[in-house]
Amino acid sequence: MSSPTLTLNDLIRTRLEEIAEDLWQNDRVMGVNHGDGRVLQLGTAAVWEQWACHSDHGYGLCGEPLVTATQASTLLGMYSDDDPVPNPSIPLIETELLDEGVGAFLPDALFHFSDVTREFKKAQG
């Protein structure tokens, strides 16, 4: 009798599912399937939508795309460890996401696209 084999891919998939479930339960954030996401563009930079906010911030359901700190930095043309949106009008959502460049789950933040857009316009003058 052999025991079932647990692979690294199984562990990663399970952790991704746990993170998605926690984001939904705690913050009403839903993951977007890769084929269903939109391209979010500011200036000449673009990123793929991975998360969407379904919370009520006092004006009804939000429905706005959320971007990671790395995506926000890319859209704003920033390549540093500084917070890409220092004063978001809608509080950022802290979570843990898979960083494929590092190959590990690391703390990250999700920003509303409107806050990133506002920061972009502010930088443009």
Side-chain angles (χ1 to χ4, degrees):
M1 180 156 112
S2 67
S3 61
T5 303
L6 188 63
T7 67
L8 182 57
N9 286 340
D10 293 333
L11 292 173
I12 292 170
R13 184 175 22 263
T14 299
R15 184 66 190 126
L16 289 172
E17 289 170 359
E18 290 170 350
I19 290 169
E21 186 176 315
D22 288 345
L23 280 169
W24 176 252
Q25 288 179 355
N26 298 332
D27 300 296
R28 290 300 185 233
V29 169
M30 183 170 281
V32 176
N33 293 329
H34 182 69
D36 297 335
R38 299 171 276 189
V39 174
L40 306 173
Q41 182 177 357
L42 284 178
T44 59
V47 297
W48 195 262
E49 177 186 23
Q50 298 174 341
W51 301 95
C53 180
H54 293 278
S55 185
D56 184 347
H57 305 292
Y59 309 103
L61 290 182
C62 181
E64 191 173 329
L66 297 167
V67 295
T68 65
T70 302
Q71 289 176 314
S73 294
T74 299
L75 290 169
L76 295 171
M78 300 169 51
Y79 299 101
S80 66
D81 291 333
D82 294 338
D83 195 6
V85 183
N87 299 309
S89 62
I90 304 172
L92 61 87
I93 299 163
E94 295 179 353
T95 187
E96 181 182 56
L97 297 175
L98 177 62
D99 185 326
E100 294 179 10
V102 177
F105 288 94
L106 299 174
D108 208 337
L110 297 174
F111 295 91
H112 283 75
F113 188 59
S114 61
D115 284 327
V116 178
T117 302
R118 188 173 17 270
E119 215 40 50
F120 180 79
K121 289 178 181 175
K122 189 167 55 171
Q124 297 297 308

